[in-house]
Amino acid sequence: MISVIEIQEGQEYQVLFKSGSNDLVLSVSLSNEFPKDKPFIKIKPIVFHQWVAGDGEVTGAPGLINFTVHSDLGRVVQAIIREFERTPPPLQESCSLSTSPSITNRIQPDVDIMGRASPNYFNHNYPTTTTTTSNTPASSYQSAAFPELSAMSNDELKQLNESVERQEDFLENLPQNKETNKIIDDLILQIEELADSNLSKQPLLEDLKKDINTRIEEVTKLAFETERLNMAYQTISEKYSPKNIKNKLQFAAEEANVRSEAIAEQFLQGQMDVEKFVVEYIQSRSLAQARKTKEEKLSQQLENLERAGF
């Protein structure tokens, strides 16, 4: 059963869980620069594990080593808890290791980018045959962290300690590493399948791009045509606006009035007979009067509209 306690909102949390018969607590502290800064994680009580430093700080977990702003803190913490649940580490207090300075080195192996222990870890951490066979806290830690070592004889342990190739083979066959490698292989397979799926969609993507480009060209043409029609509309709108028609009627009425006066002048000067004068003069005066009437009526309507707020 895992319990999460919020000590300080957004900055400090405690995660309580069981590892074997031990009750352990992970203290998770977040700085103001989180997630740019990695979380600070300590375990209490202090245990012996290749991920844990001598002061209890968890430093070797793969999720912490590769932590970025895009990492999921919850998954990182869950991975640490699963590791301690799968391989319960011994407590430092129960092993009474505080007086052995060499133990600190023993619990801080070199870790590669995937969080796997470096082969050099065995050169640093495993002593001679005499030390391994003694019932010391170090041997207890080795048995807890690497149970496979308990089944080895002294000679096998000595050969393992002296041979880098044997160390590499030993690490490669560890259940933890096999599980990690299997996860990596599965992820690679998923990535390859996803890449193949993406590549299979490339023809469809190209067709969609062509269709989009065609539609963009059509929209561009329609935009130019709309602009042309809008300009034509503005021209016609101005031409047939009520105020423009009113001005045209006023001008036409004046023009017809001037024409009638010219006809009368021609008649007075003897340049036109009576019958022609009567016909043309009446037509010109009638046209001028009609246009004047329409202009006045339209002016009145426009004034009424202006008063109404249009």
Side-chain angles (χ1 to χ4, degrees):
M1 186 67 179
I2 300 175
S3 300
V4 180
I5 301 175
E6 185 178 55
I7 306 300
Q8 186 175 358
E9 183 178 0
Q11 291 189 348
E12 187 175 355
Y13 301 87
Q14 286 187 351
V15 184
L16 289 67
F17 66 99
K18 289 189 72 68
S19 174
S21 60
N22 298 320
D23 292 323
L24 301 181
V25 179
L26 278 183
S27 296
V28 182
S29 299
L30 308 178
S31 69
N32 294 331
E33 297 299 323
F34 178 83
K36 292 183 180 179
D37 291 344
K38 295 182 179 181
F40 180 78
I41 301 178
K42 291 191 69 172
I43 187 165
K44 299 176 183 178
I46 301 174
V47 299
F48 291 108
H49 192 276
Q50 61 266 31
W51 289 0
V52 182
D55 59 354
E57 181 183 357
V58 181
T59 58
L64 282 177
I65 294 174
N66 303 314
F67 194 87
T68 67
V69 294
H70 304 293
S71 298
D72 189 331
L73 178 59
R75 292 186 177 180
V76 173
V77 173
Q78 288 177 359
I80 295 173
I81 293 175
R82 282 198 300 268
E83 170 66 18
F84 291 152
E85 290 176 340
R86 183 173 57 245
T87 310
L91 301 182
Q92 185 181 35
E93 295 175 357
S94 63
C95 294
S96 302
L97 297 180
S98 59
T99 59
S100 178
S102 62
I103 297 302
T104 303
N105 295 330
R106 195 172 289 121
I107 62 172
Q108 294 180 340
D110 296 332
V111 178
D112 64 11
I113 192 169
M114 292 304 301
R116 295 172 289 197
S118 168
N120 295 329
Y121 171 56
F122 293 93
N123 292 334
H124 297 156
N125 303 324
Y126 289 95
T128 61
T129 303
T130 304
T131 307
T132 305
T133 56
S134 62
N135 188 19
T136 63
S139 62
S140 300
Y141 165 68
Q142 293 167 359
S143 299
F146 300 101
E148 296 80 2
L149 296 176
S150 301
M152 292 185 177
S153 64
N154 294 340
D155 292 337
E156 289 175 335
L157 289 172
K158 184 176 181 180
Q159 291 175 0
L160 179 64
N161 188 50
E162 295 175 351
S163 174
V164 176
E165 293 181 358
R166 288 177 181 270
Q167 294 169 13
E168 291 177 350
D169 293 338
F170 177 78
L171 285 175
E172 186 175 350
N173 293 318
L174 285 175
Q176 302 96 312
N177 285 350
K178 285 184 178 180
E179 182 181 354
T180 301
N181 291 335
K182 183 178 181 303
I183 293 174
I184 293 173
D185 293 338
D186 291 342
L187 288 174
I188 291 174
L189 182 61
Q190 292 177 13
I191 292 171
E192 290 177 349
E193 292 176 352
L194 182 60
D196 292 338
S197 175
N198 290 339
L199 289 175
S200 66
K201 296 176 182 178
Q202 186 172 0
L204 176 61
L205 181 61
E206 294 295 334
D207 292 340
L208 290 174
K209 285 182 177 180
K210 291 180 181 179
D211 183 58
I212 290 174
N213 290 333
T214 302
R215 291 176 182 270
I216 290 175
E217 292 178 0
E218 292 176 356
V219 170
T220 303
K221 291 179 181 179
L222 290 174
F224 281 120
E225 181 65 14
T226 301
E227 184 66 22
R228 186 188 67 80
L229 292 175
N230 184 54
M231 293 177 65
Y233 166 78
Q234 294 294 337
T235 301
I236 294 174
S237 177
E238 292 176 1
K239 181 178 180 180
Y240 293 101
S241 66
K243 289 185 178 181
N244 189 53
I245 292 174
K246 169 183 167 297
N247 294 332
K248 293 288 186 181
L249 284 172
Q250 186 178 11
F251 178 79
E254 292 292 335
E255 189 176 44
N257 192 32
V258 171
R259 171 64 180 166
S260 64
E261 291 179 357
I263 292 173
E265 185 67 25
Q266 290 179 358
F267 174 73
L268 293 174
Q269 293 179 0
Q271 299 176 359
M272 183 179 300
D273 57 29
V274 176
E275 292 181 0
K276 185 177 180 181
F277 164 72
V278 172
V279 172
E280 291 186 3
Y281 184 80
I282 292 175
Q283 288 179 347
S284 181
R285 292 298 297 179
S286 298
L287 182 60
Q289 188 61 37
R291 290 174 177 175
K292 182 66 175 177
T293 302
K294 290 179 180 180
E295 186 267 332
E296 290 177 351
K297 185 176 181 179
L298 182 57
S299 297
Q300 185 178 3
Q301 291 175 345
L302 290 176
E303 288 177 0
N304 292 335
L305 287 174
E306 289 180 358
R307 291 194 194 99
F310 293 97

